[in-house]
């Protein structure tokens, strides 16, 4: 039925008139070009209408074409009202489990813009929100856990340079040999009144401009079917990005694109998500250690001090890379597997270039020496007693300068 409906939707008025005339005068579903042209003349239609049917219908024999797909499924009941072709009936969805209520993470630590995000979602208002911040600082997790706490349905869309209207709004798919329209995640979120998270929105091309109408909170027409989708109560859009939509000047996010100003203007607010402060990050690391059953207070203190030192140097322009909160969580997970601090650090900083990696490892060694087994600063660290390093920032600077 899907294939029949799709073909009937693409027929023009003259083709429909011809097929109605054929249905009223014959039960044959296989016709020759001569037959089609004769019926066209009887219906006072030009021969080109018959020719258009011939070009589309499958050939089933010498001089014979199968026109059954152009005929209504119940031709013999002339007085029966035609089947309703309302767009809402012609739009079908292949999968319906895109939206879900996220599971609450008992190890999640609320910080940064979390309270504001929760308040926005709780309000039920349509309030497009743009969240920007460096990689690995909890932007996506924050939105997910706010939805989990409030019991709100949540749909996450990952944007790539190839993402287009077909991926977002929907498109035609083959299902069991039939052609059906599959609604995209944006349409599903609108219909269900869910929170739509557009993740890494600055990685998309200009094809994401198809969302401009969606960001206004007004009904949107699906161009491929003609159906008008009205956003249900509670529908909202939250976008995350590493940049503010102006590209990445320092080259850290080479795939980040410049987003159209008119598109950005449709977001009501922009939140800047920083890395957590030392006390919050300590709590995050300890919670993650609890999650993987590898609690170690001194190691947690070492990691937090190490990351904070690197970030200060990064902000001052002394190093081109930094350690994210997510990277610390990766280190904790690695530590839970190998039960080796040094190995966990080395494996998780291998992704950096050689000089940066060696500098980070060297700094970690010095920090590890300065942290006692009880998680407190040690007074008898070799580096400090020799006066070689006045502070941990100096350790990193020296490590970087010593690398060839």
């Amino acid at each position: 039925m899907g294939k029949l409906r799709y073909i009937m939707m693409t027929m023009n008025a003259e083709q429909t008139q011809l097929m109605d005339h054929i249905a009223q005068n014959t039960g044959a579903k296989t016709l020759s070009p001569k037959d089609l042209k004769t019926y066209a003349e009887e219906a006072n239609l030009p021969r080109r209408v018959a020719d258009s049917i011939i070009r589309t219908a499958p050939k089933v024999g010498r001089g014979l074409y199968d026109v059954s797909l152009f005929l209504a499924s119940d031709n013999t009941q002339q007085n029966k009202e035609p089947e309703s072709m309302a767009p809402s009936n012609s739009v079908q969805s292949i999968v319906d489990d895109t939206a879900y209520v996220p599971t609450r993470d008992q190890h999640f630590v609320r910080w940064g813009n979390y309270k504001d995000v929760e308040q926005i979602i709780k309000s039920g208002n349509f309030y497009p929100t743009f969240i920007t911040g460096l990689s690995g600082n909890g932007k996506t997790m924050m939105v997910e856990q706010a939805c989990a706490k409030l019991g709100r349905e949540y749909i996450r869309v990952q944007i790539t340079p190839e993402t287009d209207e077909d991926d977002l709004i929907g498109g035609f798919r083959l299902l069991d040999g039939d052609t059906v329209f599959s609604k995209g995640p944006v349409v599903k979120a609108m219909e269900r009144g869910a929170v739509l998270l557009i993740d890494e929105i600055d990685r998309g091309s200009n094809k994401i401009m198809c969302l401009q109408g969606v960001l206004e909170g007004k009904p949107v027409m699906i161009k491929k079917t003609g159906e008008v989708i009205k956003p249900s109560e509670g529908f909202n859009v939250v976008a995350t990005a590493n940049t503010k939509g102006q590209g990445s000047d320092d080259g850290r996010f080479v795939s980040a694109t410049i987003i159209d100003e008119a598109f950005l203007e449709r977001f009501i607010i922009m939140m800047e998500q920083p890395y957590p402060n030392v006390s919050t990050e300590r709590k995050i690391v300890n919670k993650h250690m609890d999650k993987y059953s590898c609690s170690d207070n001194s190691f947690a203190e070492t990691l937090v001090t190490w990351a904070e030192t690197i970030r200060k140097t990064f902000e001052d322009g002394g190093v081109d890379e930094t350690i994210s909160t997510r990277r610390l969580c990766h280190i904790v997970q690695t530590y839970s597997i190998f039960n080796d601090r040094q190995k966990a650090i080395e494996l998780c900083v291998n992704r950096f270039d050689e000089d940066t990696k060696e500098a980070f490892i060297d700094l970690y060694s010095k920090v590890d020496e300065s942290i006692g087994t009880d998680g407190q600063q040690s007074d008898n660290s070799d580096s400090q007693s020799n006066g070689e390093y006045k502070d941990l920032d100096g350790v990193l600077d020296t490590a970087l300068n010593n690398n060839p």
Side-chain angles (χ1 to χ4, degrees):
M1 191 62 191
K3 183 184 292 184
L4 167 63
R5 184 174 291 158
Y6 173 63
I7 291 178
M8 292 182 71
M9 283 172 61
T10 60
M11 291 171 58
N12 59 37
E14 290 180 328
Q15 290 172 327
T16 301
Q17 183 180 344
L18 173 58
M19 299 316 298
D20 287 345
H21 178 73
I22 293 173
Q24 293 170 5
N25 287 276
T26 180
K29 298 182 188 295
T30 302
L31 298 172
S32 67
K34 182 178 179 181
D35 294 333
L36 285 166
K37 291 176 181 177
T38 299
Y39 286 125
E41 290 176 358
E42 291 176 359
N44 295 318
L45 294 168
R47 289 193 173 190
R48 60 176 171 76
V49 180
D51 291 334
S52 67
I53 297 293
I54 294 169
R55 286 194 298 269
T56 308
K59 189 173 184 180
V60 294
R62 186 174 182 180
L64 293 175
Y65 294 84
D66 182 3
V67 297
S68 61
L69 292 178
F70 294 89
L71 296 171
S73 58
D74 192 1
N75 300 328
T76 59
Q77 302 179 34
Q78 301 300 325
N79 296 326
K80 183 178 179 180
E81 292 184 5
E83 181 183 356
S84 173
M85 293 303 296
S88 59
N89 292 334
S90 66
V91 180
Q92 302 178 38
S93 177
I94 294 177
V95 290
D96 289 317
D97 57 354
T98 308
Y100 69 100
V101 177
T103 303
R104 293 189 68 171
D105 186 345
Q106 61 179 337
H107 300 100
F108 175 70
V109 176
R110 302 170 190 173
W111 65 278
N113 293 295
Y114 174 84
K115 289 184 178 179
D116 291 336
V117 170
E118 181 183 325
Q119 193 168 349
I120 290 170
I121 295 174
K122 187 177 182 179
S123 73
N125 292 336
F126 181 73
Y127 198 80
T129 303
F130 193 109
I131 305 174
T132 181
L134 292 176
S135 176
N137 65 0
K139 298 181 294 295
T140 301
M141 188 70 168
M142 175 173 62
V143 179
E144 176 191 292
Q145 287 305 301
C147 289
K149 181 183 177 183
L150 297 170
R152 291 293 310 279
E153 284 193 331
Y154 160 92
I155 297 179
R156 175 180 174 180
V157 179
Q158 191 71 40
I159 301 297
T160 71
E162 282 73 42
T163 301
D164 59 14
E165 185 172 351
D166 192 84
D167 300 316
L168 299 169
I169 304 299
F172 287 104
R173 309 282 187 267
L174 282 176
L175 178 64
D176 298 329
D178 290 339
T179 303
V180 298
F181 185 87
S182 174
K183 294 179 181 179
V186 174
V187 173
K188 290 182 180 180
M190 293 179 69
E191 290 182 326
R192 301 174 72 101
V195 174
L196 175 67
L197 175 65
I198 307 177
D199 207 13
E200 308 288 4
I201 195 170
D202 57 352
R203 299 307 197 272
S205 66
N206 58 6
K207 294 177 182 177
I208 64 172
M209 295 294 289
C210 66
L211 298 179
Q212 283 212 139
V214 175
L215 290 172
E216 294 176 352
K218 298 177 181 178
V220 175
M221 187 186 76
I222 301 177
K223 293 184 291 185
K224 295 178 181 179
T225 66
E227 182 182 12
V228 176
I229 304 297
K230 296 180 179 179
S232 298
E233 184 178 353
F235 171 66
N236 199 11
V237 179
V238 180
T240 66
N242 296 128
T243 69
K244 295 183 178 181
Q246 303 299 325
S248 178
D249 293 335
D250 58 10
R252 285 180 55 78
F253 306 105
V254 294
S255 297
T257 60
I258 297 177
I259 301 176
D260 186 272
E261 184 66 24
F263 187 88
L264 286 174
E265 186 65 19
R266 283 166 168 77
F267 288 95
I268 297 177
I269 62 171
M270 179 177 288
M271 294 179 172
E272 295 181 316
Q273 177 80 344
Y275 284 119
N277 59 36
V278 173
S279 61
T280 300
E281 191 157 60
R282 184 184 298 112
K283 186 182 295 185
I284 293 172
V285 171
N286 280 315
K287 284 275 191 178
H288 219 64
M289 286 182 168
D290 291 341
K291 178 179 180 180
Y292 290 103
S293 302
C294 62
S295 296
D296 186 330
N297 289 334
S298 65
F299 189 35
E301 187 66 32
T302 302
L303 290 177
V304 172
T305 304
W306 175 65
E308 179 68 10
T309 303
I310 290 173
R311 286 180 202 149
K312 287 181 179 178
T313 308
F314 171 77
E315 291 170 2
D316 293 339
V319 64
D320 294 331
E321 302 286 354
T322 191
I323 296 294
S324 67
T325 304
R326 178 167 54 206
R327 181 61 40 185
L328 293 183
C329 292
H330 290 169
I331 292 172
V332 169
Q333 185 177 1
T334 305
Y335 176 61
S336 73
I337 295 172
F338 297 104
N339 195 29
D340 186 322
R341 294 184 180 186
Q342 190 73 22
K343 186 171 185 176
I345 294 292
E346 291 175 357
L347 289 174
C348 289
V349 299
N350 275 340
R351 77 170 193 83
F352 299 114
D353 66 77
E354 197 65 27
D355 288 348
T356 301
K357 181 183 76 171
E358 292 301 325
F360 284 0
I361 292 174
D362 186 61
L363 173 65
Y364 168 76
S365 299
K366 298 298 186 297
V367 175
D368 202 21
E369 291 174 5
S370 69
I371 302 294
T373 56
D374 59 353
Q376 301 298 318
Q377 286 287 102
S378 174
D379 293 330
N380 56 5
S381 168
D382 291 340
S383 62
Q384 290 179 337
S385 61
N386 293 335
E388 184 178 355
Y389 304 111
K390 293 183 179 180
D391 52 37
L392 292 175
D393 292 336
V395 177
L396 184 56
D397 291 338
T398 300
L400 286 168
N401 292 333
N402 286 341
N403 282 319

